[in-house]
Amino acid sequence: MMLWLRRLFALFAVLAATAARAEGPVLMIDDPAILSALEQRGYGFAGLFGVEGNGDLEMLYRDAPAYRNIVDMIGADVAALRSEMKAGGRTLYEVTDGNVGRIMDMRWLKTDAARFRLVGIVNRLDRRDFSALRGRADCGEVRLVYRLAYSFRKNGKGKQLSSRMPFNFNAVHSVLPDTDGGCTGVALRWTPGIDEAADAGWLAGGPLDPSGFAFRQLELNAQVVRFPSGQETEFGGQAAYLMRIFGIDGETVSELPLENTPDAARLASDAELKAKLAGYVLENAAAIDGGVYQIPDEFLARKAISYSTFGSVRQANHPFAPLFQPEEFSELDFSGMRLLRSAEALIERLDNGSCQGCHQAGSTAGFHFIGLDDKSTSPLNRLQVGISPHLHAEFARRAAYIGAVAEDREPDRFRPLSSAPPAEWTEDGVEYAEAGAAMPCMMAEDAAHFGEGWGCAGDTVCTPIATASGMRMKLAQCLLPKDSAGMFSGHPCLTGEIATNAAQPFNDRYRITGQFAAFAPAINRETYNCRPPKIGVPAGIAYRGCNDNDRTFAGFKPGKPMPREICGLAGGKAFDICVATNNFDQCLGGAVVRGNRPSCSADSFCREDYMCQAFPPDTPGLAKVKGVGFCSPTYFIFQMRIDNHTTPW
């Protein structure tokens, strides 16, 4: 293993920020115990609204006018989307056992059974580059991530039911500069001393001291609609996510513009405004190339809807692509730029810098930070990894940036595409790692538009998975050749085409065009069969049943590379039946069938539309695979869907 890659893995172990002594800057806190302790110290969601108490949402909706206003605005957005989808032939239901669309039940945001739990804290000192564009002399941001969670007893006195939902608020705080106006002291504050531990006390008294930062805005990313795979039989399911930013001033709530995210509909209907935006792009192409730019507010949207599956290639998540043709930027000279080599690349860079573009490329289910589970979560509903591949890749860049600031050096301000793999960041430049199996890559014809790129690791080859009408780039992943002896369960096996419906993205249609792997005619324990998307597996999955060696994790040996597949958990017939009958607590008990899945861990991620699920602690032989999980289709995991949860009402 390359030295720099070993260093990166060691760095990530530090970044997870347990109570052990850190050996570098703390970039992320995701330990549930530390976060729970911080909530008790005043960092809970209710504190954002000046409300004391346990933070239950019935109380908050009643006693905090600003929260009530936010919920009502979200409710109006959800109602508008519901009407739009109904007009497009897609009726939505809060509660259903049919293969029809499901919509967020807004009562979850007003019940005493739910609260927004602190699931993460992120150090974003590097965001000072964007503050400078706004004329703010701060040292970047601290972000407190809250996720919707519930807990209540069935029928008021029975079994305790609890879970989380894919509904996140991100409370963004500006970090105040040092007394001399610099950021060196801020950077150093995030590194514990030799005898210090990055626990709740150290955080609250140091980098999270409230006197050192000020609330700026509240950002929302929330799944609000889901179409099941039984309805979307070739897509393997779909979901829509609402993205908003709220300003809070006492009881007053304002809608803030989404960063670098155009109001595409307004721009498409206003030629003069669109031409003005094109002028901005031409004048600021060098900044866009580096990834640090701020499109003026007059062009920006106040809300956006992002879509999955195949989110990285859906036109709805590329708002600039329908607005501009490459010919409109033909006068630009790309020869001196670092990343961009063509107008096509410029448009793709702009799309990737939008909210929906970033959150559907290199992400996990439309999120970059999901958070880990506390002990109240069912063992069959827990995540092994709570961040996206993009966030994992970002840590090395952010650590290098903070290190430069701490040493009073000029940092490398360049931002890669969100689909890029990890890289080594030094004063001499950036060296990308090769992308692992099923990770994103660019086909040669697409990569030619970019000055920086990466290859596929080992025995994998960059292979297109899906194309979409109206899109110039393909969704491609580092995959094995069809006849490879290294085939593994969970590997994609189908390619397809998306027919884009620009006016109604929820009516995009996906058509399977071919099978390229896993040709066994039936499920067996020796060779691989291609399982279809209609069972909830986008792009299909190669599948081999578990044998006795798989069940005992015989292939996992200390000091040896992690095998690509592992005998994890599959839904099974009992799970399918209980999901169809809306019986949540029985569903989890039915998810006990063993089946091979891709293995995953804190430094080995699942492909797009899949995520790393944790094994239940009573799994036989679990000690052999400590820290390893298995890749599940996103919506097989209850906490990543808004529907079919047992409700307190």
Side-chain angles (χ1 to χ4, degrees):
M1 184 184 296
M2 289 182 292
L3 176 60
W4 75 264
L5 199 54
R6 290 200 299 269
R7 289 173 177 169
L8 178 63
F9 291 169
L11 172 65
F12 184 78
V14 171
L15 304 177
T18 63
R21 181 178 65 84
E23 297 176 355
V26 174
L27 304 183
M28 175 186 78
I29 311 293
D30 66 351
D31 184 299
I34 293 175
L35 294 165
S36 178
L38 285 170
E39 285 189 288
Q40 300 304 312
R41 290 173 175 261
Y43 295 87
F45 186 72
L48 298 173
F49 302 94
V51 174
E52 297 182 356
N54 65 2
D56 80 72
L57 300 186
E58 180 183 61
M59 176 270 292
L60 204 55
Y61 189 80
R62 181 189 66 234
D63 297 342
Y67 176 75
R68 183 164 60 249
N69 290 339
I70 288 172
V71 171
D72 291 347
M73 291 168 72
I74 295 171
D77 290 338
V78 171
L81 185 61
R82 184 179 209 161
S83 296
E84 181 185 349
M85 289 189 174
K86 184 175 183 180
R90 311 298 294 267
T91 302
L92 304 172
Y93 301 86
E94 281 88 357
V95 179
T96 178
D97 59 4
N99 280 319
V100 293
R102 294 92 188 275
I103 193 165
M104 176 72 186
D105 190 330
M106 292 300 296
R107 286 177 290 184
W108 282 115
L109 302 184
K110 307 173 188 178
T111 176
D112 63 354
R115 67 186 181 94
F116 281 98
R117 197 188 109 200
L118 182 63
V119 297
I121 295 172
V122 186
N123 171 8
R124 291 305 309 271
L125 188 149
D126 65 297
R127 288 280 304 175
R128 69 174 187 161
D129 295 344
F130 290 85
S131 295
L133 295 176
R134 288 285 190 179
R136 293 191 294 258
D138 60 39
C139 293
E141 303 165 355
V142 170
R143 299 183 174 190
L144 278 66
V145 182
Y146 299 91
R147 188 168 173 204
L148 181 61
Y150 65 81
S151 182
F152 63 94
R153 293 198 175 276
K154 188 175 183 179
N155 300 322
K157 56 184 179 181
K159 179 181 179 182
Q160 189 78 24
L161 302 175
S162 61
S163 182
R164 303 187 295 169
M165 290 188 182
F167 201 107
N168 281 20
F169 278 115
N170 174 25
V172 181
H173 297 76
S174 297
V175 179
L176 303 181
D178 303 335
T179 54
D180 64 359
C183 298
T184 300
V186 170
L188 292 170
R189 264 203 310 276
W190 281 98
T191 301
I194 293 176
D195 298 322
E196 295 177 318
D199 56 17
W202 177 81
L203 289 161
L208 294 184
D209 185 333
S211 66
F213 56 83
F215 175 79
R216 184 192 301 165
Q217 62 194 32
L218 189 65
E219 301 176 349
L220 171 72
N221 185 15
Q223 185 188 117
V224 291
V225 171
R226 193 178 77 86
F227 298 107
S229 58
Q231 182 183 27
E232 299 282 358
T233 56
E234 296 213 342
F235 258 126
Q238 281 202 79
Y241 299 81
L242 173 65
M243 311 184 86
R244 279 276 204 177
I245 301 179
F246 302 101
I248 303 174
D249 184 6
E251 298 183 1
T252 303
V253 175
S254 57
E255 301 175 89
L256 300 181
L258 301 179
E259 184 175 271
N260 292 334
T261 302
D263 187 336
R266 182 164 57 91
L267 286 159
S269 64
D270 189 333
E272 183 178 348
L273 189 65
K274 177 186 165 184
K276 190 175 180 182
L277 175 57
Y280 167 85
V281 172
L282 286 167
E283 293 174 8
N284 293 273
I288 295 168
D289 173 64
V292 181
Y293 60 97
Q294 182 62 66
I295 295 175
D297 291 355
E298 63 178 310
F299 304 113
L300 302 181
R302 262 57 180 180
K303 70 175 178 178
I305 305 292
S306 74
Y307 289 86
S308 67
T309 56
F310 301 110
S312 61
V313 77
R314 300 282 288 273
Q315 189 187 86
N317 303 326
H318 290 71
F320 287 91
L323 285 174
F324 296 117
Q325 295 300 313
E327 295 76 21
E328 296 178 69
F329 305 114
S330 59
E331 66 186 76
L332 284 172
D333 178 7
F334 293 96
S335 61
M337 295 190 185
R338 180 169 177 173
L339 178 67
L340 308 179
R341 291 293 179 268
S342 70
E344 287 85 354
L346 172 64
I347 295 170
E348 177 67 17
R349 175 67 145 172
L350 288 166
D351 279 333
N352 190 247
S354 69
C355 289
Q356 59 268 56
C358 178
H359 277 272
Q360 289 291 345
S363 73
T364 297
F367 295 93
H368 291 308
F369 200 114
I370 306 156
L372 299 175
D373 300 287
D374 61 18
K375 294 179 180 179
S376 68
T377 302
S378 165
L380 293 161
N381 189 30
R382 292 181 184 172
L383 302 181
Q384 182 67 37
V385 178
I387 63 172
S388 71
H390 166 61
L391 183 51
H392 173 255
E394 272 279 277
F395 285 137
R397 182 190 69 80
R398 296 179 191 177
Y401 188 106
I402 293 173
V405 174
E407 296 173 7
D408 203 22
R409 293 186 287 106
E410 183 68 16
D412 187 340
R413 301 176 189 277
F414 176 74
R415 267 99 173 144
L417 297 169
S418 66
S419 54
E424 182 183 22
W425 292 74
T426 69
E427 295 182 48
D428 298 325
V430 177
E431 179 188 351
Y432 290 103
E434 292 180 321
M439 289 293 99
C441 58
M442 285 190 280
M443 298 298 293
E445 60 269 28
D446 293 335
H449 294 284
F450 295 90
E452 286 193 0
W454 57 91
C456 291
D459 51 354
T460 63
V461 179
C462 194
T463 306
I465 292 288
T467 60
S469 58
M471 293 302 304
R472 302 177 185 92
M473 303 284 181
K474 302 176 183 67
L475 169 57
Q477 295 174 352
C478 296
L479 303 181
L480 296 168
K482 65 179 182 179
D483 56 352
S484 172
M487 187 58 61
F488 59 91
S489 292
H491 189 284
C493 52
L494 300 171
T495 58
E497 298 175 345
I498 297 172
T500 298
N501 187 323
Q504 298 176 336
F506 49 87
N507 278 329
D508 285 358
R509 298 270 63 89
Y510 178 78
R511 180 175 67 90
I512 297 171
T513 57
Q515 180 179 339
F516 62 88
F519 293 102
I523 296 175
N524 64 88
R525 290 182 172 84
E526 303 298 329
T527 56
Y528 293 90
N529 171 260
C530 183
R531 308 303 297 145
K534 67 182 180 181
I535 68 169
V537 290
I541 60 168
Y543 180 73
R544 178 181 66 81
C546 296
N547 58 36
D548 290 342
N549 283 338
D550 297 327
R551 289 175 179 274
T552 59
F553 307 120
F556 289 78
K557 300 182 183 301
K560 299 293 184 181
M562 181 176 72
R564 284 173 168 165
E565 68 180 6
I566 190 169
C567 188
L569 302 181
K573 186 175 181 180
F575 184 89
D576 295 338
I577 291 172
C578 69
V579 167
T581 56
N582 195 31
N583 194 344
F584 168 71
D585 49 321
Q586 293 300 314
C587 287
L588 292 183
V592 294
V593 178
R594 297 292 294 275
N596 273 315
R597 292 284 187 263
S599 55
C600 52
S601 66
D603 49 49
S604 182
F605 285 77
C606 304
R607 64 179 165 111
E608 187 169 326
D609 300 316
Y610 294 76
M611 64 192 310
C612 195
Q613 187 172 356
F615 281 94
D618 60 352
T619 303
L622 190 61
K624 291 184 180 179
V625 291
K626 184 178 181 181
V628 179
F630 57 96
C631 294
S632 290
T634 303
Y635 307 122
F636 275 30
I637 305 174
F638 258 106
Q639 62 169 281
M640 296 311 298
R641 47 198 281 183
I642 54 167
D643 59 293
N644 282 60
H645 294 261
T646 301
T647 68
W649 47 85

